[in-house]
Amino acid sequence: MFHASCHCGAVRLEIARKPRTLTECNCSMCGRLGARWAYYTRKAVRVVCSNGAMQAYLYRTKTYEYYHCKVCGCVTHYARVNVKRSDKVAVNARMMKPEDVASISIRRLDVRKRKRGRAERT
Ligand SMILES: [Zn+2]
């Protein structure tokens, strides 16, 4: 069992295994968070927290819910609102012990470049 936790410990995640790769994304949300995401199926991640300790944030298209701890503010994970569309949950590896994830390779997802490309074509 692998663990992740917000700063104050009110929101803890129990994860089936160590991540194999981490993803850094530069979209308007992830870029601000400075998050590194590790993707799992929902059943591989168990969220442990008291009722009301977590809050979800949705924006624009309301496709994804970003969860953060109400006490310390750390964003712990996000998931698609519609479970039928995706069985995945993205855990913020910044909530894992740095020494546990230091050697894992990081994939850089440049969505801004993709958007620039799209704008140039139209
Ligand atoms: Zn917290």
Side-chain angles (χ1 to χ4, degrees):
M1 190 64 70
F2 203 69
H3 296 273
S5 161
C6 68
H7 189 262
C8 74
V11 180
R12 287 173 292 119
L13 304 176
E14 293 177 359
I15 309 160
R17 59 170 174 78
K18 199 171 169 165
R20 293 186 185 113
T21 58
L22 302 176
T23 300
E24 253 185 34
C25 169
N26 64 358
C27 79
S28 63
M29 187 63 190
C30 302
R32 281 177 170 81
L33 294 175
R36 282 179 178 167
W37 303 111
Y39 302 102
Y40 297 95
T41 56
R42 290 186 199 233
K43 68 176 183 194
V45 179
R46 187 167 160 254
V47 179
V48 183
C49 71
S50 57
N51 267 352
M54 252 182 359
Q55 189 168 346
Y57 171 67
L58 285 111
Y59 65 97
R60 231 175 34 205
T61 58
K62 310 219 180 301
T63 310
Y64 297 99
E65 281 182 312
Y66 288 78
Y67 291 94
H68 69 267
C69 169
K70 274 206 222 169
V71 181
C72 69
C74 289
V75 173
T76 52
H77 61 294
Y78 79 82
R80 212 169 168 122
V81 174
N82 184 345
V83 181
K84 286 175 188 161
R85 295 291 300 273
S86 172
D87 183 35
K88 294 286 192 293
V89 55
V91 174
N92 187 357
R94 299 284 193 189
M95 305 299 125
M96 296 170 183
K97 279 189 192 144
E99 60 268 34
D100 286 347
V101 293
S103 61
I104 299 171
S105 66
I106 296 158
R107 180 178 144 245
R108 293 204 160 73
L109 191 61
D110 189 357
V111 295
R112 289 179 184 268
K113 187 180 170 188
R114 248 190 259 158
K115 276 184 189 158
R116 283 194 301 271
R118 218 177 291 149
E120 281 159 18
R121 280 195 300 273
T122 53

